[in-house]
Amino acid sequence: MAKPAQGAKYRGSIHDFPGFDPNQDAEALYTAMKGFGSDKEAILDIITSRSNRQRQEICQSYKSLYGKDLIADLKYELTGKFERLIVGLMRPPAYCDAKEIKDAISGIGTDEKCLIEILASRTNEQMHQLVAAYKDAYERDLEADIIGDTSGHFQKMLVVLLQGTREEDDVVSEDLVQQDVQDLYEAGELKWGTDEAQFIYILGNRSKQHLRLVFDEYLKTTGKPIEASIRGELSGDFEKLMLAVVKCIRSTPEYFAERLFKAMKGLGTRDNTLIRIMVSRSELDMLDIREIFRTKYEKSLYSMIKNDTSGEYKKSLLKLCGGDDDAAGQFFPEAAQVAYQMWELSAVARVELKGTVRPANDFNPDADAKALRKAMKGLGTDEDTIIDIITHRSNAQRQQIRQTFKSHFGRDLMSDLKSEISGDLARLILGLMMPPAHYDAKQLKKAMEGAGTDEKALIEILATRTNAEIRAINEAYKEDYHKSLEDALSSDTSGHFRRILISLATGDREEGGENLDQAREDAQEIADTPSGDKASLETRFMTILCTRSYPHLRRVFQEFIKMTNYDVEHTIKKEMSGDVRDAFVAIVQSVKNKPLFFADKLYKSMKGAGTDEKTLTRIMVSRSEIDLLNIRREFIEKYDKSLHQAIEGDTSGDFLKALLALCGGED
């Protein structure tokens, strides 16, 4: 088992058992398996409470006392997932990895995900031990077996990783960082086709510290994260492997937290993945994985395992997990730094926000107006021409087309479009033709008119717009509906929810940077409210969340975690309910990462039976010139499929064509 570096804090969940006696444990295990049936509770209690070093001593004592192989006896007595887990714990880590890889490449088909997970995440020392263990256990050469079972660039990168020769020097050359950035850029984005060898050489050999700086500089130089370039330039298992390498370089515990979450989310559990990670990380970085899991997914790893597994298998996994971070006082303060780094990344990305719709080159409003008139004249309508023109012009250019259309034909383009197209396509095209502030004003008006109120639309718009956008919406609302937005909100909502919306609708959020002392005071203000004092809690949250600047609120959130061991979003969800909760959660998510907030909204609009076309349209229209490219990246990162694919699978006809044109490409 790899030991932490000298002076480093141990981050495993399993420790050496105090007062350890290998003979006593061997006798207890023999008794537990003797006779009819076996005492599974005793077996799991002993094996999950001992370190791997101690388990090896138990194996030796068992053989000395009884002349039998303990692992063979366990295999005989136990079955299924519980057996796989217990036997995995009994093997030395390198031999456990060797067995997983042997299983992954044996028989028909290959478990590429297993190969990727192990070989992308192990250190040089762990890789050398793995190669030696494989040779010892199977009398075969691991590299030769990998070559015999894989192919292409995927194979080449696996072989590079198997060498265990990644540089380990933390002294980084700035010149070499710049050179690697340039080499990666030229090998991918600037090249017709891709020079995969450059990606393999740099990502397979450079030190982690060096590569983290390369990734930072790559984002600054190209305006996109290295992950986006990998997705655009590589494909298949090779792409998945390189993305896994990048994730492990950024944060190995975060990579495993994500793997664990995906192993348990949705229908069915990927038990082999769950077992492999819980066994292999229990004496390395399980505490770090737990922290990140709790911060990223707003639930503890312990609670997810508890809800997703059963029996002795569940009990064993929970012992390896080591604690429930949802319990009071359990969530680690160190997670504040993890959370803050995640939010800081989104803060950097704010200056890199990019839409998918840009002003058309060689724009000719006269030609566009004539083409649109022709597309709507006579019998039938040429929807393809309408979609092509309107989705490929900026909003400013569309306004010029409207003016030119009226000057040439004495007709209102919007009225003509309304009479020629209908349904979801009409809603999308007409939305694109409106100036953004007037479009938002109309969406707010629709959310409040008629029977019932669309609170989700009110929240989505008012919680995410900038001060300048809010002020423009107010002017547009007054101009179009001869009533102030504040009066409309007052008439249609009530209580704390109304107060929150009106506060947001003033467009007076502070716009400065963070103030550390004030951030601590703000965090203390919302942390001090006793649980159950709902009215006071909501008022305090409103005072801070609706008025402070985004950079300042990120600091408040970090300080809040330090004080309470909880993410502010978790506290809101736990202590509040209804529209007030939804509004505060939307503000917090927007502050943390606005493109991710919209990616989540888009995913939910297309998830399950039926499609929420109104939400889908509203977001695609309103974000197409602001940050839809960023939203696309967040979407594929979180949901493992592109926004393009999701739209293709959930819509049809001309509405589909228009949405894909706005989407701007396949990631």
Side-chain angles (χ1 to χ4, degrees), residues 10 13 53 104 107 196 203 220 331 357 484 545 581 585 663:
Y10 180 71
S13 55
R53 178 187 64 78
E196 289 86 353
L203 294 183
K220 292 177 187 175
F331 189 36
V357 174
S484 74
L545 293 184
R581 175 200 60 206
V585 166
C663 187

Side-chain angles (χ1 to χ4, degrees), residues 2 44 66 135 152-153 300 329 356 358 368 400 459 508 571 577:
L44 78 87
Y66 306 109
K135 185 78 170 176
H153 298 297
S300 67
T356 53
R358 299 175 181 83
D368 284 346
Q400 290 184 56
I459 291 168
D508 286 330
T571 299
S577 61

Side-chain angles (χ1 to χ4, degrees), residues 213-243:
L213 293 176
V214 168
F215 300 161
D216 290 343
E217 287 301 314
Y218 191 90
L219 177 62
K220 292 177 187 175
T221 302
T222 67
K224 62 167 65 175
I226 188 68
E227 291 90 339
S229 290
I230 288 172
R231 289 192 183 97
E233 298 298 326
L234 312 180
S235 61
D237 292 323
F238 180 46
E239 174 197 341
K240 292 172 187 172
L241 173 60
M242 299 305 263
L243 288 172

Side-chain angles (χ1 to χ4, degrees), residues 404-418:
T404 304
F405 194 90
K406 181 162 275 190
S407 298
H408 277 0
F409 308 112
R411 302 171 66 89
D412 180 63
L413 177 56
M414 294 286 278
S415 297
D416 281 5
L417 287 167
K418 279 182 187 177

Side-chain angles (χ1 to χ4, degrees), residues 520-590:
R520 287 172 178 156
E521 288 181 24
D522 288 345
Q524 195 70 57
E525 178 78 7
I526 54 180
D528 278 349
T529 310
S531 180
D533 187 357
K534 190 174 176 182
S536 176
L537 185 68
E538 290 174 354
T539 298
R540 293 182 188 207
F541 267 84
M542 186 186 77
T543 302
I544 292 163
L545 293 184
C546 296
T547 63
R548 304 292 195 255
S549 71
Y550 273 27
H552 180 80
L553 283 173
R554 287 190 183 93
R555 179 63 70 177
V556 172
F557 298 164
Q558 185 195 27
E559 296 302 317
F560 185 87
I561 290 182
K562 288 180 181 176
M563 291 174 186
T564 68
N565 283 351
Y566 280 96
D567 179 69
V568 68
E569 191 175 331
H570 175 272
T571 299
I572 291 168
K573 289 177 177 177
K574 182 182 177 185
E575 298 292 340
M576 302 179 199
S577 61
D579 297 327
V580 170
R581 175 200 60 206
D582 294 344
F584 283 147
V585 166
I587 294 169
V588 170
Q589 290 178 344
S590 182

Side-chain angles (χ1 to χ4, degrees), residues 316-365:
S316 301
L317 288 170
L318 293 179
K319 289 286 289 287
L320 294 181
C321 185
D324 184 1
D325 303 318
D326 283 340
Q330 287 298 306
F331 189 36
F332 306 100
E334 290 96 323
Q337 193 58 40
V338 176
Y340 193 62
Q341 287 169 357
M342 289 162 59
W343 304 332
E344 281 295 284
L345 189 62
S346 73
V348 170
R350 282 190 308 154
V351 299
E352 302 288 348
L353 294 181
K354 290 184 179 179
T356 53
V357 174
R358 299 175 181 83
N361 296 323
D362 303 321
F363 172 58
N364 185 335

Side-chain angles (χ1 to χ4, degrees), residues 71-86:
I71 290 181
D73 280 3
L74 288 167
K75 283 183 178 179
Y76 180 79
E77 291 291 333
L78 308 178
T79 59
K81 296 172 285 192
F82 181 53
E83 178 218 324
R84 187 179 180 91
L85 174 62
I86 293 298

